[in-house]
Coordinates of all heavy atoms in Angstrom, one line a residue:
M1452 N -1.3 24.5 0.3 CA -2.6 23.9 0.4 C -3.0 23.2 -0.9 O -2.8 23.8 -2.0 CB -3.6 25.0 0.7 CG -5.0 24.4 1.1 SD -5.1 23.6 2.7 CE -6.5 22.5 2.5
T1453 N -3.5 22.0 -0.8 CA -4.1 21.4 -2.0 C -5.5 21.0 -1.7 O -5.7 20.3 -0.7 CB -3.3 20.1 -2.4 OG1 -1.9 20.4 -2.5 CG2 -3.8 19.6 -3.8
A1560 N -1.1 13.2 -11.8 CA -0.4 12.8 -10.6 C 0.6 13.8 -10.0 O 0.9 13.8 -8.9 CB 0.3 11.5 -10.9
E1561 N 1.1 14.7 -11.0 CA 2.0 15.7 -10.5 C 1.2 16.8 -9.8 O 1.9 17.6 -9.0 CB 2.7 16.3 -11.7 CG 3.8 15.5 -12.2 CD 4.4 16.0 -13.5 OE1 4.2 17.2 -13.8 OE2 4.9 15.2 -14.3
R1562 N -0.1 16.9 -10.0 CA -0.8 18.0 -9.4 C -1.6 17.6 -8.2 O -2.0 18.4 -7.4 CB -1.8 18.6 -10.4 CG -1.0 19.4 -11.5 CD -1.9 19.7 -12.7 NE -1.2 20.5 -13.6 CZ -0.3 20.0 -14.5 NH1 0.0 18.7 -14.6 NH2 0.3 20.8 -15.4
M1563 N -1.9 16.3 -8.1 CA -2.8 15.9 -7.1 C -2.4 14.5 -6.6 O -2.1 13.6 -7.4 CB -4.2 15.8 -7.7 CG -5.2 15.6 -6.7 SD -6.8 15.8 -7.6 CE -7.9 15.3 -6.3
R1564 N -2.2 14.4 -5.3 CA -1.9 13.1 -4.7 C -3.1 12.7 -3.8 O -3.7 13.5 -3.2 CB -0.6 13.1 -4.0 CG 0.5 13.5 -4.9 CD 1.8 13.1 -4.3 NE 2.5 14.2 -3.6 CZ 3.8 14.2 -3.3 NH1 4.5 13.2 -3.5 NH2 4.3 15.2 -2.6
A1593 N 1.4 7.3 -3.8 CA 1.2 8.7 -3.4 C 2.6 9.3 -3.2 O 2.7 10.5 -3.5 CB 0.4 8.7 -2.1
H1594 N 3.5 8.6 -2.7 CA 4.9 9.2 -2.4 C 5.7 9.2 -3.6 O 6.6 10.1 -3.8 CB 5.6 8.4 -1.3 CG 5.0 8.5 0.1 ND1 5.7 9.1 1.1 CD2 3.8 8.2 0.6 CE1 5.0 9.1 2.2 NE2 3.8 8.6 1.9
P1596 N 5.1 8.9 -7.6 CA 4.1 8.7 -8.6 C 4.5 7.8 -9.7 O 3.7 7.2 -10.4 CB 3.9 10.2 -9.2 CG 4.3 11.0 -8.1 CD 5.3 10.3 -7.3
A1748 N 0.4 11.2 5.1 CA -0.1 12.5 4.7 C 0.8 13.6 5.3 O 1.1 14.6 4.6 CB -1.5 12.7 5.2
A1750 N 4.0 13.4 6.0 CA 5.3 13.4 5.3 C 5.1 14.1 4.0 O 6.0 14.9 3.6 CB 5.8 11.9 5.2
L1751 N 4.1 13.7 3.3 CA 3.9 14.3 1.9 C 3.5 15.8 2.0 O 3.7 16.5 1.1 CB 2.7 13.6 1.2 CG 3.1 12.2 0.8 CD1 1.9 11.5 0.1 CD2 4.2 12.1 -0.2
S1752 N 3.0 16.2 3.1 CA 2.6 17.6 3.3 C 3.8 18.5 3.5 O 3.7 19.7 3.2 CB 1.6 17.8 4.4 OG 0.4 17.1 4.2
V1753 N 4.8 18.0 4.1 CA 5.9 18.9 4.5 C 7.1 18.8 3.5 O 7.9 19.7 3.4 CB 6.5 18.6 5.9 CG1 5.4 19.0 6.9 CG2 6.9 17.2 6.1
N1754 N 7.3 17.6 2.8 CA 8.5 17.5 2.1 C 8.6 18.4 0.9 O 9.7 18.6 0.3 CB 8.9 16.1 1.8 CG 8.0 15.5 0.7 OD1 7.3 16.2 0.0 ND2 8.1 14.2 0.5
G1755 N 7.5 19.0 0.5 CA 7.6 20.1 -0.5 C 7.9 19.7 -1.9 O 8.1 20.6 -2.7
E1756 N 8.0 18.4 -2.1 CA 8.4 18.0 -3.5 C 7.2 17.7 -4.4 O 7.3 17.2 -5.4 CB 9.3 16.7 -3.4 CG 10.7 17.0 -3.0 CD 11.4 15.7 -2.7 OE1 11.0 14.6 -3.2 OE2 12.4 15.7 -2.0
G1757 N 6.1 18.1 -3.9 CA 4.9 17.9 -4.7 C 3.7 18.4 -4.0 O 3.8 18.9 -2.9
P1758 N 2.5 18.2 -4.6 CA 1.3 18.7 -3.9 C 1.0 17.9 -2.6 O 1.4 16.7 -2.6 CB 0.2 18.5 -4.9 CG 0.7 17.4 -5.8 CD 2.2 17.6 -5.9
A1759 N 0.5 18.5 -1.6 CA 0.0 17.8 -0.4 C -1.1 16.9 -0.8 O -1.9 17.2 -1.7 CB -0.4 18.8 0.7
P1760 N -1.2 15.8 -0.2 CA -2.2 14.8 -0.6 C -3.6 15.1 -0.1 O -3.8 15.7 1.0 CB -1.7 13.5 0.0 CG -1.0 13.9 1.2 CD -0.4 15.2 0.9
N1787 N -1.9 20.2 5.1 CA -1.9 21.1 3.9 C -2.8 20.5 2.8 O -3.0 21.2 1.8 CB -0.5 21.2 3.4 CG 0.3 22.1 4.3 OD1 -0.2 23.0 4.9 ND2 1.6 21.8 4.4

Side-chain angles (χ1 to χ4, degrees):
M1452 187 71 204
T1453 309
E1561 282 171 27
R1562 289 164 177 84
M1563 191 171 171
R1564 299 198 265 195
H1594 288 244
L1751 291 176
S1752 297
V1753 294
N1754 74 11
E1756 283 172 18
N1787 287 327

